[in-house]
Amino acid sequence: MRRSTVVLQRVGKGEPLTPPKAREMLAEILDSVRSDAPIPFTHRDAERALAALLSTEEMWEAVRLSRVPMRFLCAFWSRLEEKDLLAVQDGRLSLTEAGRELASNLCIAPAWEASCDSCEGRGVDFARLPREVVERFREISRGRPEALQVYDQGYVTEETTLARVAFALARGDLSGKEILVIGDDDLVSVAAALTGAPSRVLVVDIDDRLIRFIREVARVEGLDMLEATRYDIRDPLPHEWRGRFDTFLCDPTESFAGFCAFIERGLLAVRGVGSAGYFGLTHAESSLEKWAQIQRFLLESGAVITDIREDFNSYVTWGYVETMRAWSWLPIRVRPDRPWYFSSLFRIELLRPPSVENRRFEGNIFADEEAATV
Amino acid sequence: MRRSTVVLQRVGKGEPLTPPKAREMLAEILDSVRSDAPIPFTHRDAERALAALLSTEEMWEAVRLSRVPMRFLCAFWSRLEEKDLLAVQDGRLSLTEAGRELASNLCIAPAWEASCDSCEGRGVDFARLPREVVERFREISRGRPEALQVYDQGYVTEETTLARVAFALARGDLSGKEILVIGDDDLVSVAAALTGAPSRVLVVDIDDRLIRFIREVARVEGLDMLEATRYDIRDPLPHEWRGRFDTFLCDPTESFAGFCAFIERGLLAVRGVGSAGYFGLTHAESSLEKWAQIQRFLLESGAVITDIREDFNSYVTWGYVETMRAWSWLPIRVRPDRPWYFSSLFRIELLRPPSVENRRFEGNIFADEEAATV
């Protein structure tokens, strides 16, 4: 059960809440949330979660707008409910009068969005790609294999993949370049190859279904530069791929070890100074502490971060949503009816030969305390 | 004079260029550019510069599209010209046949853009702000003081300021918050105050004209929460501003010392964990090495980088363009007829109390080897 046995003091009836008391109450709630969600989060994460609850009663919209780890979010909701600050009824989440009073005394305003409708906030217009590329990609995507939980898969919308390719093309990372795609349920290799820009696109993936699918696309579409082969990210990068590419793209699992596995392989696979890498990183499964840890790792590895575009990657809800780890934490167990899982697109560029090792990873590298989807 | 006395070997007539020879030639050119431009740059910067020359003959467009330090770019152009790879004539820059052959053997494609037209690539639609805010801001901006070189000023377009405010509002960094704007020729304080969202907006600036202007706007518009006062960034932050704000915004000078001055003041002025900061960073005046140095500094100071949006900030060409440092390096001395100077918008958030000192800076903190506009 979500409810813990610790019962917090309720807001006393008739006692007027003041800003100092509200801050004290929030601090107390967060202290108790820490026992349920042993991950780093700040009062600012709580502010974001409250701002989301002020602007929507739909649970998945609240997840999306909160931009905090689900592990924290669900534990926080649970404590709010215990304190009668949040009501869960008729499939909706709504702050009670006391909850609104708390938010008001914390000076929290409803979450407000300013994303451009035309490009869904990405800043990139994929329609600048040749129309044939867009149409062929959409057609090909219809036959894609479904996402599998065992490989922590979950693919992005077609618009996302096309925008990612347009973005990489605009950054000069595809034309005339050799590209490595590490794990490709997003089919970014296919969209990249369809542009005709790269001289080589190699997909490495553990999933035989994807390898067969991409090879078949390459054959049918006559994309000679597109190859796919099996590779388990836990194995050291084979010698023949080391220092052979210009750009790598991936969408790593977000445990820190899993993330490092993907990025280390990518950095070892590229030629060195001036080579670029792309990956996604979420708030739903990564605290800002982990973001900072990842950023330190990237800089120490010899890379600079050139771009971070929030919500660039919009994911199609995977079939296994009811068996994902976060499902049991949710106050309302309904499937999402719209995109709710987003990630920021990062681009990095190497400034010196990468200082990472080609180590072997053992065991389950997919999950950590912050994981929600595996 | 731009031309150095070192004359490089020209491409031999009739000798066919091959990719290995092209790479060798580029490496040789870059080695010689290093003597004119003692700043860090990579062969990838040269690729970006060549890609720009393949897509435009207009000098300022080539500056914009190259996304490399002007110090490097102008020295690189000069060497290309010496080697008859680039022709400068009739106010245009054009790669010669040999130049195109070089680019082709380096597998370089013309620079290609994929920015969304609707939002100018920012991903943010400022028209989501109340129409009155947009209209009042445009009206007020007409009376703004002109940019002064002595303060390294150069303001952004009205659309940029409005989009920056919309972005900060969407990130929850303005509503109900106390805001510090460190240096405000962009008038971001005015746009923020017009939304009515912040509880306080304090501008600190060295320029008395701006202080008078902003105070007058506050008076005429009845914006009681908007204040402006004089402050020299080289002085330690006064006690009464320490730990008193939630969010800081600035557009630092880009010498590393100058950059640190702005960010250290900002970090000391905010409350701590969960507080946010915004600033711009260019490619025209900062090598990717400096970007990495800045990113390490931010992480070491206790912040995490949550956003980097390239080309978010578009600057109105300042009146003093003919006296800026880079003017003497240019192959064609014409004023730009469109925006050419852009910066990336960074957002950071504090994860722990900032570990920076409230030190005094001495002397000229505006210029370093990579400076172009001061």
Side-chain angles (χ1 to χ4, degrees), chain A residues 42-44 47-48 107 109 112-119 121-125 128-129 166 169-173 175-177 273-274 276 288-289 291-292 295-296 299 304-310 347 349 351, chain B residues 42-44 47-48 107 109 112-119 121-125 128-129 166 169-173 175-177 273-274 276 288-289 291-292 295-296 299 304-310 347 349 351:
Chain A
T42 69
H43 69 93
R44 188 68 201 273
E47 275 186 32
R48 280 185 271 264
C107 294
W112 180 81
E113 296 191 86
S115 289
C116 171
D117 282 337
S118 278
C119 60
R122 297 186 186 97
V124 172
D125 180 6
R128 299 238 189 165
L129 294 169
L169 202 53
R171 283 290 184 281
D173 293 325
S175 292
K177 307 281 189 185
V273 177
L288 288 178
E289 275 293 346
W291 276 53
Q295 292 176 358
R296 280 190 295 269
L299 289 161
V304 60
I305 306 162
T306 63
D307 299 86
I308 306 179
R309 301 224 167 195
E310 183 138 299
R347 178 183 180 276
E349 188 168 318
L351 296 176
Chain B
T42 68
H43 69 92
R44 188 68 201 272
E47 276 186 33
R48 280 185 271 264
C107 294
W112 180 82
E113 295 191 89
S115 288
C116 170
D117 282 336
S118 280
C119 60
R122 295 185 188 97
V124 172
D125 179 7
R128 299 239 188 166
L129 293 169
L169 202 53
R171 283 289 184 280
D173 293 324
S175 291
K177 307 280 189 186
V273 176
L288 288 179
E289 276 293 346
W291 275 52
Q295 292 176 358
R296 278 190 295 267
L299 289 162
V304 60
I305 307 163
T306 63
D307 299 87
I308 307 178
R309 299 223 168 194
E310 183 138 297
R347 178 184 181 274
E349 188 169 318
L351 296 177

Side-chain angles (χ1 to χ4, degrees), chain B residues 96-337:
Chain B
T96 61
E97 201 179 320
R100 290 182 176 273
E101 205 187 331
L102 174 69
S104 156
N105 275 281
L106 293 167
C107 294
I108 296 172
W112 180 82
E113 295 191 89
S115 288
C116 170
D117 282 336
S118 280
C119 60
E120 299 182 321
R122 295 185 188 97
V124 172
D125 179 7
F126 67 81
R128 299 239 188 166
L129 293 169
R131 202 174 61 178
E132 204 182 273
V133 171
V134 174
E135 285 172 4
R136 287 306 305 141
F137 182 72
R138 291 196 187 279
E139 176 67 28
I140 291 166
S141 297
R142 287 191 206 154
R144 70 196 308 162
E146 270 316 304
L148 290 184
Q149 186 169 25
V150 65
Y151 299 137
D152 190 24
Q153 289 172 344
Y155 53 78
V156 296
T157 62
E158 292 164 19
E159 292 75 18
T160 299
T161 297
L162 289 163
R164 206 187 286 167
V165 164
F167 185 66
L169 202 53
R171 283 289 184 280
D173 293 324
L174 298 187
S175 291
K177 307 280 189 186
E178 300 189 52
I179 315 298
L180 179 68
V181 184
I182 309 171
D184 195 24
D185 51 335
D186 294 340
L187 303 183
V188 69
S189 64
V190 172
L194 285 169
T195 66
S199 59
R200 182 187 183 196
V201 183
L202 173 65
V203 175
V204 298
D205 203 297
I206 196 170
D207 184 353
D208 287 318
R209 302 173 311 151
L210 269 167
I211 294 161
R212 279 195 303 272
F213 180 78
I214 290 166
R215 284 182 180 164
E216 182 63 10
V217 168
R219 195 187 61 77
V220 171
E221 305 287 327
L223 300 168
D224 296 338
M225 88 289 255
L226 175 59
E227 309 155 54
T229 192
R230 194 174 188 283
Y231 170 59
D232 183 331
I233 194 74
R234 289 169 297 192
D235 296 335
L237 195 77
H239 184 74
E240 69 265 32
W241 299 338
R242 288 193 61 167
R244 295 291 295 275
F245 298 88
D246 300 292
T247 305
F248 75 90
L249 298 108
C250 61
D251 202 2
T253 190
E254 296 197 7
S255 69
F256 186 66
F259 177 86
C260 289
F262 278 82
I263 301 301
E264 288 175 10
R265 302 324 180 198
L267 292 177
L268 289 169
V270 293
R271 294 202 159 79
V273 176
S275 294
Y278 290 81
F279 61 87
L281 189 62
T282 70
H283 293 299
E285 301 200 78
S286 291
S287 64
L288 288 179
E289 276 293 346
K290 201 201 284 175
W291 275 52
Q293 190 184 11
I294 283 171
Q295 292 176 358
R296 278 190 295 267
F297 162 76
L298 294 167
L299 289 162
E300 282 162 15
S301 301
V304 60
I305 307 163
T306 63
D307 299 87
I308 307 178
R309 299 223 168 194
E310 183 138 297
D311 291 351
F312 192 102
N313 297 313
S314 165
Y315 294 75
V316 176
T317 298
W318 39 87
Y320 61 84
V321 71
E322 287 101 335
T323 59
M324 72 179 185
R325 187 169 179 230
W327 186 257
S328 67
W329 308 332
L330 293 172
I332 304 165
R333 309 251 162 85
V334 287
R335 283 186 63 87
D337 62 353

Side-chain angles (χ1 to χ4, degrees), chain A residues 127-140:
Chain A
R128 299 238 189 165
L129 294 169
R131 200 173 61 178
E132 204 182 276
V133 171
V134 174
E135 285 172 2
R136 287 305 305 141
F137 181 72
R138 290 195 188 280
E139 176 68 30
I140 291 166

Side-chain angles (χ1 to χ4, degrees), chain A residues 80-128:
Chain A
L80 292 181
E81 206 187 336
E82 279 169 24
K83 291 193 64 116
D84 287 338
L85 298 164
L86 180 69
V88 181
Q89 55 197 14
D90 306 328
R92 304 182 84 78
L93 293 180
S94 55
L95 285 172
T96 61
E97 202 179 318
R100 289 181 178 274
E101 205 188 330
L102 174 69
S104 158
N105 275 282
L106 293 167
C107 294
I108 296 172
W112 180 81
E113 296 191 86
S115 289
C116 171
D117 282 337
S118 278
C119 60
E120 299 182 320
R122 297 186 186 97
V124 172
D125 180 6
F126 68 80
R128 299 238 189 165

